[in-house]
Amino acid sequence: MAEPSLVTVVDDDESVRESLPDLLRQYGFATQAFASAEAFLASRFVTQTRCLILDIAMPRMTGPDLQRELARRRHNIPIVFISAYGDDEIEGAVKCLLKPFSETALLDAVNSALQAG
């Protein structure tokens, strides 16, 4: 049996870090969550992550900053950006979802990211 794909959530909002992994696990995904881009970069999960759900607006290192750093390090992880501020599509992202988003929209975006990766 195949190991479940690791979907990692990086968001400074605690409620998002708690709820999204719970939801994703219900659909058979392995999950990790981090409060900052820096914590994710320092983890052993960077190379294991198959889809990154990434908040755009975070203190210190933003979502787009993390995206650039991952590219610089040659980690090609498909990214689904999430935002509470109605940001436009971000180049290189599989999808950009506006909070609050539906469960269906999230699952469609994650599945698209996993197919793209």
Side-chain angles (χ1 to χ4, degrees):
M1 189 160 134
E3 207 172 296
S5 296
L6 177 60
V7 179
T8 299
V9 176
V10 180
D11 197 310
D12 59 324
D13 182 333
E14 184 177 3
S15 65
V16 172
R17 286 194 316 274
E18 291 177 358
S19 63
L20 287 188
D22 287 346
L23 173 67
L24 292 163
R25 279 191 293 274
Q26 290 177 12
Y27 287 92
F29 297 105
T31 63
Q32 287 293 324
F34 296 90
S36 70
E38 296 88 348
F40 173 63
L41 284 172
S43 79
R44 64 184 174 90
F45 296 104
V46 173
T47 58
Q48 299 172 26
T49 297
R50 297 294 164 252
C51 173
L52 185 59
I53 299 174
L54 181 56
D55 188 20
I56 290 175
M58 293 184 292
R60 296 177 308 278
M61 183 180 274
T62 67
D65 291 340
L66 175 57
Q67 180 186 36
R68 285 188 289 279
E69 181 60 20
L70 289 169
R72 189 187 72 72
R73 295 182 185 193
R74 293 191 168 95
H75 294 297
N76 187 23
I77 304 170
I79 296 173
V80 174
F81 277 109
I82 56 178
S83 176
Y85 302 106
D87 296 80
D88 294 328
E89 294 293 315
I90 294 182
E91 189 174 326
V94 172
K95 191 81 174 162
C96 188
L97 301 175
L98 182 60
K99 296 176 188 176
F101 43 81
S102 71
E103 184 176 308
T104 302
L106 176 66
L107 292 173
D108 286 349
V110 167
N111 284 320
S112 292
L114 292 170
Q115 289 172 3

